[in-house]
Amino acid sequence: MKKPYLRAFGGKEAATYPISEVRYRSDDGRTLEVDNCLTPLAAKQASALRALFDKRLMSRKPLDKSGVWRYREFLPAFKPFDAVVTMEEGNTTIFDMPQCARFCGMTSLLAKHQGLNPTGSFKDNGMTTAVTMAKKLGATMVACASTGNTSASMAAYAARAGMMSVVFIPDGQIAYGKLSQSLDYGALTIQIEGDFDKAMEIVEDLCNRGTIYLLNSINPFRIEGQKTIMIEMLHQLGWKAPDWVIVPGGNLGNSSSFGKAFDEMLRANFIKKAPKIAVIQAQGANPLYNSFISGDRTLKPVHANTRATAIKIGNPVSFDKAWFAVESTGGIVEQVSEEEIAIAKSKVGRDGVGSEPASATTIAGCRKLVEKGIIRKSDNAVCILTGHLLKDPDYTVEFHRDELYLDAQRTTTLSGTQRISTGGNGNKPVKLPADANKIMSFIDKWNSSK
Ligand code: F0G
């Protein structure tokens, strides 16, 4: 059996490099991916592997308990598995979402909540693998640029592995829940003037000088771990592929990893059919959408602006890989407005689940694609909720108070165009006197108005 290696993504004569070589791009500037050299499985082997995954659900071994490493046959680049840094990541719930289904005009709708990970976002699926590789490569210091979740996850896993971590965040543009995490986990937290795209440029430059190991999703070992989100999803669904998987698009690492997961599982004869991938971007941060609509595959960066700060990214690193994910599965790219995101987020809350704003693009996008007749009412769709509701409490409170503005600092005009409407979905807190009778009559009135 051939051993996994790194390969430049795209291009006819793809350059290759050994796994042990620390590099983030090919000499001609392409992103890299792991070629796992997986061999096709006979039907019997595939069903034996599925049985093994089932058996591991009962195991008490750390590797089996992790929703990433449970599927390690699809992660051969990390062999031998003796340096694994795990926090039992993955294992995230798939919820039935009746309110959201009604909102989208679907018969039913599922949501896999990656916000239920140890640090509250899907980043943990890729961070366990990338920090494990950092350890194998002998790194003692790791870094990333982040809109907040990558940094939270990296800081946590680096702390577990006994490594120093340095995070670069756009000044004043990340949610407090996320900032508090990287501080608490002990990362050197550098707020830089400029946006995420600028921070990304600087951190790549610094890491290319050596000594610091880069853990953004340009790192191909992040993508490897994030693949297991889809493997776990199919496992939870009894290996029955839904018609659609709907995912938010920012730096486009997640959508890329989903495309790679399905490609590898199909090539290995492990599944017979892949879901279509729908990538949803915020209208104010939509370079993949623009490219998809125009058919022009060259990345034209945009100056990003959205209150869904997690996806406030105008120059995504994994642009080409995301194109592959969409194209190879017969999927689609859609964009949604600030108001559509905000209202969809309130619906996720009404299902008793909740998410951070970026995750709600999936519900908003699903509704739009149903309206357009691209997703059918009776289709099976799974929305990927990428981050926990408590990551960005300011957004939620501002929304329910009807005080959500596109410009979070409100340095510009407070005129109507800047306010993001609740569409009647707000749930304002009420102030009442400390008087039981008055409170009871208020509750009665509130109840009968429902
Ligand atoms: N949803 C959430 C909650 C995110 O934090 C991110 C990305 C995305 C969606 C988009 O995923 O980049 O793989 O397309 N956050 C990164 C960060 C960029 O720094 O935390 P993507």
Side-chain angles (χ1 to χ4, degrees):
M1 210 173 80
K2 269 174 75 185
K3 267 168 82 179
Y5 62 94
L6 291 172
R7 184 180 52 205
F9 187 82
K12 287 213 174 76
E13 295 285 313
T16 63
Y17 308 95
I19 292 284
S20 54
E21 184 172 333
V22 176
R23 62 155 64 226
Y24 313 105
R25 290 186 190 269
S26 60
D27 291 338
D28 62 349
R30 293 176 191 278
T31 52
L32 302 176
E33 69 171 356
V34 178
D35 187 328
N36 282 308
C37 304
L38 296 169
T39 43
L41 302 169
K44 248 188 166 167
Q45 290 172 303
S47 77
L49 190 52
R50 281 193 281 269
L52 178 63
F53 292 159
D54 274 345
K55 196 168 152 224
R56 286 179 182 160
L57 290 172
M58 306 286 287
S59 164
R60 289 196 176 84
K61 290 190 190 133
L63 279 191
D64 295 342
K65 278 162 78 181
S66 160
V68 172
W69 299 101
R70 181 176 306 133
Y71 306 104
R72 53 192 175 272
E73 282 68 16
F74 286 94
L75 304 170
F78 304 89
K79 270 183 182 170
F81 303 105
D82 53 2
V84 168
V85 183
T86 175
M87 295 173 80
E88 292 186 24
E89 52 288 314
N91 297 306
T92 60
T93 311
I94 297 182
F95 290 103
D96 187 23
M97 305 288 281
Q99 299 287 341
C100 287
R102 202 164 307 139
F103 174 67
C104 292
M106 300 277 286
T107 311
S108 66
L109 186 60
L110 299 177
K112 183 164 172 61
H113 206 327
Q114 291 303 111
L116 303 182
N117 261 300
T119 77
S121 85
F122 72 94
K123 306 291 181 180
D124 296 343
N125 282 70
M127 209 50 81
T128 181
T129 46
V131 168
T132 294
M133 189 53 78
K135 198 169 147 186
K136 281 168 99 79
L137 296 171
T140 54
M141 196 184 287
V142 291
C144 70
S146 183
T147 55
N149 280 327
T150 300
S151 47
S153 184
M154 184 190 77
Y157 280 84
R160 301 294 303 168
M163 291 173 194
M164 306 294 287
S165 64
V166 186
V167 312
F168 293 80
I169 53 172
D171 191 15
Q173 294 180 45
I174 77 163
Y176 254 51
K178 305 174 187 181
L179 177 62
S180 65
Q181 287 180 288
S182 61
L183 299 177
D184 222 35
Y185 301 141
L188 169 61
T189 303
I190 303 176
Q191 296 178 276
I192 65 145
E193 284 172 24
D195 56 13
F196 170 84
D197 299 304
K198 187 76 207 162
M200 188 66 234
E201 209 181 292
I202 292 178
V203 79
E204 205 181 329
D205 178 354
L206 290 178
C207 291
N208 278 329
R209 298 175 192 201
T211 67
I212 312 178
Y213 187 64
L214 181 58
L215 285 179
N216 277 99
S217 56
I218 192 175
N219 183 316
F221 304 111
R222 282 270 312 279
I223 304 288
E224 288 302 296
Q226 283 171 216
K227 278 181 346 194
T228 63
I229 299 171
M230 288 299 100
I231 305 176
E232 184 182 72
M233 177 194 74
L234 290 177
H235 191 186
Q236 289 167 307
L237 297 176
W239 304 107
K240 197 169 169 297
D243 300 298
W244 293 91
V245 167
I246 310 174
V247 59
N251 216 13
L252 300 174
N254 217 21
S255 13
S256 301
S257 68
F258 293 3
K260 188 168 194 276
F262 295 140
D263 185 52
E264 288 185 349
M265 283 192 280
L266 285 169
R267 278 171 193 266
N269 282 337
F270 189 69
I271 57 168
K272 296 277 169 276
K273 181 185 163 245
K276 294 191 260 282
I277 296 176
V279 182
I280 317 294
Q281 295 205 292
Q283 209 166 296
N286 61 354
L288 184 68
Y289 173 79
N290 291 339
S291 163
F292 186 78
I293 290 301
S294 69
D296 179 354
R297 279 159 177 269
T298 39
L299 167 59
K300 302 211 169 51
V302 302
H303 179 72
N305 193 19
T306 170
R307 279 299 306 267
T309 48
I311 50 173
K312 192 172 173 184
I313 296 170
N315 190 14
V317 159
S318 296
F319 179 83
D320 295 330
K321 292 179 181 173
W323 247 110
F324 171 78
V326 170
E327 211 167 31
S328 63
T329 62
I332 195 160
V333 186
E334 186 51 274
Q335 65 172 1
V336 287
S337 70
E338 292 299 298
E339 197 173 303
E340 287 169 326
I341 296 170
I343 293 171
K345 186 178 118 54
S346 75
K347 302 294 177 189
V348 179
R350 285 306 184 96
D351 266 322
V353 171
S355 71
E356 68 163 285
S359 310
T361 56
T362 57
I363 304 293
C366 180
R367 181 183 158 98
K368 219 163 175 177
L369 292 171
V370 171
E371 268 169 18
K372 289 184 176 176
I374 293 166
I375 294 181
R376 284 173 307 179
K377 187 178 163 36
S378 58
D379 279 353
N380 294 314
V382 182
C383 291
I384 307 302
L385 301 177
T386 43
H388 199 281
L389 167 69
L390 296 175
K391 286 279 191 173
D392 191 353
D394 288 354
Y395 182 104
T396 307
V397 174
E398 286 168 28
F399 174 85
H400 287 295
R401 285 193 167 141
D402 202 6
E403 289 172 0
L404 186 64
Y405 292 90
L406 178 58
D407 177 16
Q409 273 81 43
R410 301 194 202 171
T411 46
T412 55
T413 157
L414 294 188
S415 72
T417 53
Q418 289 291 315
R419 185 192 248 121
I420 300 167
S421 163
T422 66
N425 295 283
N427 182 22
K428 269 189 194 166
V430 285
K431 260 193 187 166
L432 290 176
D435 176 325
N437 290 332
K438 283 185 182 153
I439 294 172
M440 198 63 236
S441 85
F442 182 89
I443 293 173
D444 285 340
K445 243 199 279 167
W446 173 80
N447 198 22
S448 55
S449 74
K450 291 286 153 196

